[in-house]
Amino acid sequence: MGRLTVSGSRTDEKPGFDLGQGPGRLLVWLYGVFTVAAASRSIVQMIMDFGRAPLAYVLSAVAAVVYAFITYSLVRGGPAARKAALVCCAAELAGVLVVGTWTLVAPSAFPDATVWSDYGMGYLFIPVILPVTAMMWLRRGVVAEPA
């Protein structure tokens, strides 16, 4: 027998798999906290002293937007949201690795830290651990296509 489909549509998620439940709930909470932290930090820095380190402050704002989108995707759930969250988590990890390396190789380019500076050292390395953990969680809910 084949898979049960609703209205002829297919899903590639395991039955009963909800992105915002179990460990996913912790990911939603962490991404929500990081959204607020990165947004607050970047807004205050841009208002108070944008000219000092515009690149760092803009990158912190970009991190906040990425975190917010991932939070939204995890809360929304469903196959499309899962795929969008996976793409954003991969982009987030790439950003952390690029910015983290950049801040170590050329520290003068960053007179002030970003959320992703030194691979998130100022945030207990959570910015580099979080996308890896999220991608593992998101991949866990995928059902292999039948051969």
Side-chain angles (χ1 to χ4, degrees):
M1 294 244 129
R3 286 186 3 198
L4 176 65
T5 58
V6 179
S7 303
S9 64
R10 268 184 33 228
T11 180
D12 61 346
E13 289 191 6
K14 291 180 183 175
F17 184 80
D18 187 356
L19 296 178
Q21 298 300 314
R25 184 170 289 171
L26 177 61
L27 288 172
V28 168
W29 184 83
L30 285 170
Y31 271 111
V33 168
F34 269 76
T35 299
V36 172
S40 300
R41 176 184 183 145
S42 64
I43 290 168
V44 168
Q45 289 172 324
M46 286 193 263
I47 290 171
M48 300 300 285
D49 198 14
F50 184 75
R52 179 168 174 239
L55 178 60
Y57 303 155
V58 169
L59 286 173
S60 286
V62 168
V65 171
V66 171
Y67 293 146
F69 185 79
I70 293 170
T71 304
Y72 169 76
S73 296
L74 290 171
V75 169
R76 180 167 180 209
R82 183 188 48 75
K83 288 175 186 173
L86 268 169
V87 169
C88 275
C89 286
E92 174 195 359
L93 181 59
V96 172
L97 295 175
V98 167
V99 172
T101 303
W102 192 359
T103 57
L104 294 176
V105 172
S108 62
F110 294 88
D112 206 351
T114 74
V115 174
W116 295 341
S117 291
D118 304 319
Y119 308 107
M121 184 170 36
Y123 290 87
L124 305 174
F125 296 102
I126 293 172
V128 77
I129 296 167
L130 193 56
V132 173
T133 306
M135 287 188 291
M136 289 172 31
W137 170 248
L138 290 164
R139 294 288 304 155
R140 185 177 154 266
V142 178
V143 174
E145 291 294 323

